[in-house]
Every structure is written in C-alpha cells, then in structure tokens.
Amino acid sequence: MATIGAYDEENFKKVNKTQVRPTVEAVFYGNNVHRVLDLKEAYNLAKNSPGTVELTGMPVYHPTEQELPQDANVLLFNDGAIFGRTAAARRIVGWPGVDANALCTVVREAIFNTRHRRMYQADAYVGLDEDFMVKAHLLLPEGYENNLYNWMINFQYDNERYRPRYAASRRISDTDGDIFFFADPDWSHPDFPLGLAFFSPEENCAAVLGLRYFGELKKGTLTLAWGIAARNGYAACHGGLKRYTMKDGRKFVMAAFGLSGSGKSTITHAKHDGRYDIMVLHDDAFIVNIKDKYAIAMEPTYFDKLADYPIGCEDNKYLLTIQNCGATVTGDGRKVAVTEDMRNGNGRSIKSRLWSPNRVDRIDEPLNAIFWLMRDPTIPPVLKLEGPSLGAVLGATLATKRTSAERLAPGVDPNALVCEPYANPFRTYPLSMDYERFKTLLADGVDCYILNTADFMGAKVKKEHTLGIIEAIVEGRARWVPFGDLPGLKTLDMPDFKVDLNDAAYREQLKARFQDRLNFVIARETERGGVDRLPPDAREALEAVIAAMR
C-alpha cells in the first residue's frame, strides 16, 4: 500500500517520530466516533445539519453516477466572519520558534474536551494513480457535517472502486504513515486568537483548531500529501496541468502555477474554440515525477471561486456544494444560490469532475512548458526565461498580490506585492527542495515563461490576451524578441502593450521589482534559521538581471 495504515513493528518508530502523531491518532478510535463509510450518508448528514440550505432549484447533475441520492441537490453552508485561510495560525514542527511539546499539550486538552461530543470520521485517498496514493483520515465534531461531506467529495472518498486500486498501489516509503487530520472549529484559546493549525509534516498529521473555513481542511490535507510527494521524488505543484493535441497529432503539455484568482483555472479549462484536443489533469493540485516525468492529479473535483459564475451560468450545473454565498427564491419557490461574491469576497464551490469531460488522472507525456502566473505591473503580458537557474528562481519569487481566499493578520497590507514561492503557501519542507526539482525540469528541456495576468503599467491584460499568447506558444508560432538588454529574458511584440526599456521611469520600476525578488532570496538565508536558503546560483541569476539595468 502507498502509506502505512496499521501497526508495523519494523517501521513503527520511523512513522511515530515525536509525541504529535500518538496524540492525534488516538482520538480517531474513541467510542464517541462514528465512521461515515458511504457518500450518501455524508450527503444526508450535511443536508440535515443545522444551518444548511438545500438549494432545491439546483439539482446535482448525474447524482447516481457520483454515488449520491437520485434526488440530491446542491448544498449551501455559510461560515461567519471568516471565509478564508488563516496563514498566521500555522505552527509547523521543525520550524524555529515552534515548541512541539507545548503545542501537544494544547492539542491534548482540545481532544479531551471533545469526549462528550459526537465525532465523525471519514477516509479518502489523495493522489489518483497507483504510483501515488496516500490514505487520509479526517475527524471533526457534530455540527460540521458539511465540511465532512466537502472533504469526502473534494478528495477521492474510500469506495469499492478505489479500495483495490489503493491495495495494489506501490509503497511510497517505510517512513510515511497515513494522514491523520483532527479538527475542532469550535475550539478557542486566549493564546491563539486567530486559531491554531498545527502540523507535523514528517508524521503526516495535523490538528486544526478554531478554524471553520473548509479551505483549511482541503489545503491542510494537501499540505501533508505534497510533503510526502516532495520527500519521495516528486515536484509538488499548486497549479493546473493540461495536454494539447494538435490536428497533426503533435502534443504539448503545459503547467500553470498561480494563487487563487490568478487565472490558473481559466487557463486550465480553456477550450480554445475546439482548435485542439484537450486533456485536463487538474486545475489546482498535482505532482510531477522528476525522474520519469509523468504527472498525477491529487483530487477528482474542483474547489473554485464563484466570482465569475452568475446565477444561471451553464457551468453551475456541475456544482456539488457551495460555501459562503447568498441564496434567494425563484418565482416558483425554488431556492438558488446568489453567486458572484455578493455576500463576501471568497464565495466557493466544489464542482464535480464532470465539469471537465476531457479529464484524466495521469499524463505520461513530459512537460513542454511551465508558466509562472504573476500579478506584477512591471512585467509584460509574457516573458520567456532562458536558463534553468533564472527560471527556477523566478518561480521561487513568484510575485503576486494577496487574494480574498486568505485571512490576513492585523497590519498586513492586502495590496502589497508579495513573493509566494511556486504559488504554494502550503509548503512544509525547505524551499531549496522545490527549487532543485523545478531547476531539474528546466535543465531537462522544459521551457519556462512568466504570464502577467493582471495589468502591465496600467494596461489591463485580458483573458483573450493570455490565451492568445499560450496558443502561439503551443503552435510554435511565437516570435520572441529580446527584452531590452536584459540577459535571459525575451518577450513578444504585442501592439497593445508597448515595452520601452529606454524609458528611465519604467526601467527603474522594473529594477525595483527585481531587487524585491533578490531581497526575498537574501532574506531566506537568515529567516527561520535559514531553512529556506537557496543555492548561490539562484541569487546570481537575479543579480545578473539587475546589473544589466544599471
């Protein structure tokens, strides 16, 4: 099997490295725990949970095909003031300043206080191919049945079809046990006013306390699964991957990496007016085997924003659940969701895999191109990056702005330009590991680009611009020109976006943004004890570009 799910005398101490895993795992076996084995049961529990809105005007599309009741409707559940992830609540074993023993005391008390409550457990698989399948277990209290149901459909719930596949999957390692994820959204503690998200990555377990938003469970589970992948020869990817097949049979595989709202889902699911045969792996979570170059999807469904999907949109027929949106009643008494973020800034849904009819869970053809999606106003709509170090370090300093999917700590400027390495704020291992993985891919012949999906010096980069650029690259008709005199950078001549590196004001702004990236890399050498220090060539690649702008 992929992970160690039962007592293994030979490897027990390799799996249980500290007191964290025994603390978290034991609660799963309590006599107040009800194990939810069936998706229909999870649906009914969620439908009947206090506060749920059953959207009678939004029936689930092909419900029995998805092991749901024939009369299943989309379920809406709304959180309170908080409707995004809380990065400030994270505490990760092994990071400087994290006292695992003290936090285990906090977690033990939280677990003890759930003993008089009915607890629900569910099982799922993360990774949808026999070469990478991780088993995960979730436990959370009565009252949060919607989060249980969401988690089961976001990942691949344990069923008769996947159970034998998991049994036949290869053992990942002798040190990785199943994921155990304990959550109590009702918990509070004066020392943790923003909640606590406590992770022990190498023990594959977590306790998330005082946090209701479903994204904490989704990304928390992925955090642990991506860590397993990274330790075992894969690049962990927060992005979308698709394969194009041209009319002449040529294939092109691309991956786009970006945070929520950057356009990665739009790019991944774009149909390009039927000009190509498209196969989609996933739009949010996958892994790439560095040695053999195949890619595997981590999830079957899609957890997407609803800002661009109005009432009556054709795509909405694929919805399974909705979070943090409004609701209204039609003239004939049917309840429907009010989308487009009219209630708050991060309305979300889980769409079924049926949304993408051309969906696969594994792609064996190696990557042709990587695209870093950025929201940096000094970057043209596209830059081609030459040299593996430059491509890898610009992924490590992927510049963007905060999104409504994040709950920020007091005093954090939501409009500031920030670096989020590889668009993955869920990494729990040294940054150099990702850097070397992506550098290896680029050195092996994968092309690398930046796509600016926001605006360039005040000119809006529209979806049509971005997709047109990608189509030109896929078809091999992109004609690159030097990006001024800057080494390793090329761009396209686009009439709507004039690039003038002789403009002193623009050149100074561009230089300042590259200096920001260099400062970020330099800061990694000392922050958190230097755990995210990058190799010297990363710094040198940025310094060469900055030196050319003097």
Side-chain angles (χ1 to χ4, degrees):
M1 288 185 258
T3 46
I4 300 171
Y7 175 69
D8 180 328
E9 183 176 1
E10 181 181 355
N11 298 304
F12 181 74
K13 289 187 177 179
K14 298 178 184 177
V15 174
N16 291 265
K17 300 175 178 66
T18 73
Q19 63 179 279
V20 181
R21 188 176 179 91
T23 298
V24 172
E25 184 180 353
V27 68
F28 281 74
Y29 311 125
N31 60 10
N32 60 330
V33 173
H34 173 73
R35 189 177 177 197
V36 179
L37 301 174
D38 181 89
L39 197 62
K40 290 179 181 178
E41 180 187 5
Y43 169 82
N44 285 319
L45 285 170
K47 184 180 74 169
N48 296 317
S49 182
T52 301
V53 180
E54 182 182 4
L55 298 170
T56 52
M58 301 179 70
V60 170
Y61 182 65
H62 289 182
T64 56
E65 185 176 331
Q66 301 174 77
E67 300 186 33
L68 290 169
Q70 177 63 47
D71 60 350
N73 290 308
V74 176
L75 302 182
L76 165 67
F77 189 82
N78 288 329
D79 298 313
I82 307 307
F83 45 81
R85 297 186 309 273
T86 306
R90 287 198 158 204
R91 304 291 188 275
I92 299 174
V93 173
W95 284 18
V98 174
D99 186 337
N101 292 339
L103 289 172
C104 272
T105 300
V106 173
V107 172
R108 285 197 301 270
E109 190 69 12
I111 288 172
F112 177 78
N113 288 329
T114 65
R115 71 196 188 284
H116 294 304
R117 302 168 71 184
R118 182 176 174 85
M119 305 293 288
Y120 291 110
Q121 181 202 329
D123 305 321
Y125 303 110
V126 189
L128 303 178
D129 182 85
E130 283 81 353
D131 274 331
F132 189 90
M133 294 180 76
V134 170
K135 196 164 189 179
H137 312 277
L138 173 69
L139 186 71
L140 79 177
E142 185 176 23
Y144 294 93
E145 292 83 356
N146 280 275
N147 275 354
L148 183 92
Y149 175 50
N150 285 331
W151 188 83
M152 290 177 71
I153 58 177
N154 182 87
F155 298 106
Q156 177 52 59
Y157 56 91
D158 185 19
N159 64 11
E160 292 182 358
R161 189 157 55 94
Y162 272 83
R163 209 166 295 132
R165 291 189 63 186
Y166 179 69
S169 63
R170 69 180 181 87
R171 173 70 66 87
I172 291 175
S173 73
D174 292 330
T175 61
D176 285 301
D178 288 1
I179 291 171
F180 283 91
F181 202 114
F182 168 74
D184 181 4
D186 290 329
W187 177 88
S188 64
H189 194 290
D191 293 343
F192 302 94
L194 297 179
L196 173 63
F198 179 43
F199 290 83
S200 182
E202 294 195 3
E203 291 181 288
N204 300 330
C205 60
V208 172
L209 308 174
L211 299 165
R212 301 178 196 145
Y213 176 56
F214 169 67
E216 301 284 4
L217 305 184
K218 170 191 161 66
K219 292 301 188 186
T221 304
L222 277 173
T223 289
L224 297 173
W226 270 325
I228 296 170
R231 293 193 297 271
N232 288 280
Y234 293 88
C237 302
H238 182 218
L241 187 143
K242 67 195 295 188
R243 182 184 68 205
Y244 298 77
T245 301
M246 264 111 347
K247 302 299 182 185
D248 62 4
R250 288 184 299 120
K251 291 180 169 59
F252 189 96
V253 180
M254 63 157 285
F257 294 79
L259 290 171
S260 299
S262 64
K264 70 179 186 298
S265 292
T266 298
I267 291 169
T268 305
H269 294 288
K271 297 178 174 60
H272 302 277
D273 299 322
R275 292 164 59 180
Y276 323 100
D277 177 30
I278 301 290
M279 298 302 291
V280 171
L281 185 77
H282 204 263
D283 69 359
D284 187 67
F286 62 95
I287 57 175
V288 176
N289 184 284
I290 297 302
K291 179 182 177 182
D292 298 321
K293 304 298 188 290
Y294 59 82
I296 294 173
M298 300 289 268
E299 307 165 315
T301 55
Y302 308 98
F303 183 54
D304 283 339
K305 290 173 68 67
L306 280 172
D308 298 327
Y309 297 93
I311 295 174
C313 175
E314 176 67 14
D315 285 351
N316 287 349
K317 77 177 185 182
Y318 299 105
L319 301 181
L320 295 172
T321 65
I322 298 175
Q323 304 87 43
N324 299 317
C325 282
T328 191
V329 180
T330 62
D332 57 1
R334 295 176 299 119
K335 286 174 280 190
V336 297
V338 176
T339 53
E340 299 181 279
D341 279 354
M342 295 182 69
R343 178 185 185 266
N344 48 260
N346 189 35
R348 287 277 173 166
S349 69
I350 296 181
K351 295 187 181 82
S352 79
R353 68 179 294 148
L354 301 176
W355 181 40
S356 182
N358 47 354
R359 169 68 192 273
V360 293
D361 292 332
R362 173 173 172 146
I363 288 180
D364 284 310
E365 290 87 354
L367 274 170
N368 295 100
I370 286 172
F371 294 84
W372 309 128
L373 305 184
M374 301 204 190
R375 304 174 74 197
D376 178 346
T378 67
I379 297 291
V382 63
L383 284 178
K384 184 175 184 181
L385 312 176
E386 297 184 337
S389 295
L390 181 62
V393 75
L394 283 170
T397 57
L398 188 145
T400 187
K401 292 183 179 180
R402 297 297 185 191
T403 78
S404 58
E406 300 170 88
R407 174 193 181 193
L408 302 179
V412 176
D413 181 2
N415 297 310
L417 201 66
V418 295
C419 290
E420 195 63 80
Y422 308 107
N424 191 351
F426 317 107
R427 177 179 43 81
T428 57
Y429 46 85
L431 180 57
S432 59
M433 187 180 294
D434 275 347
Y435 177 82
E436 293 294 353
R437 297 281 158 80
F438 286 107
K439 181 181 170 184
T440 297
L441 288 171
L442 300 180
D444 286 347
V446 179
D447 290 329
C448 190
Y449 306 87
I450 295 174
L451 289 174
N452 178 3
T453 56
D455 67 273
F456 172 58
M457 302 306 290
K460 173 65 179 173
V461 182
K462 299 179 182 177
K463 176 178 70 174
E464 292 75 20
H465 293 129
T466 300
L467 295 180
I469 290 168
I470 293 172
E471 289 167 0
I473 293 171
V474 168
E475 295 173 12
R477 52 183 175 81
R479 297 295 175 259
W480 300 99
V481 296
F483 188 48
D485 53 356
L486 304 186
L489 301 175
K490 292 184 177 180
T491 188
L492 294 178
D493 186 9
M494 300 180 67
D496 294 342
F497 303 93
K498 292 300 181 183
V499 178
D500 184 6
L501 274 167
N502 292 318
D503 182 319
Y506 169 65
R507 195 177 181 95
E508 196 60 32
Q509 289 187 56
L510 181 66
K511 178 183 174 183
R513 297 292 76 75
F514 269 83
Q515 184 65 49
D516 288 344
R517 291 173 169 86
L518 178 58
N519 293 344
F520 179 84
V521 170
I522 292 172
R524 303 283 78 71
E525 296 175 4
T526 55
E527 286 188 8
R528 295 201 293 115
V531 67
D532 283 337
R533 180 184 294 109
L534 292 177
D537 61 289
R539 181 171 175 171
E540 291 162 3
L542 289 173
E543 288 173 337
V545 175
I546 293 169
M549 285 189 266
R550 291 179 180 143

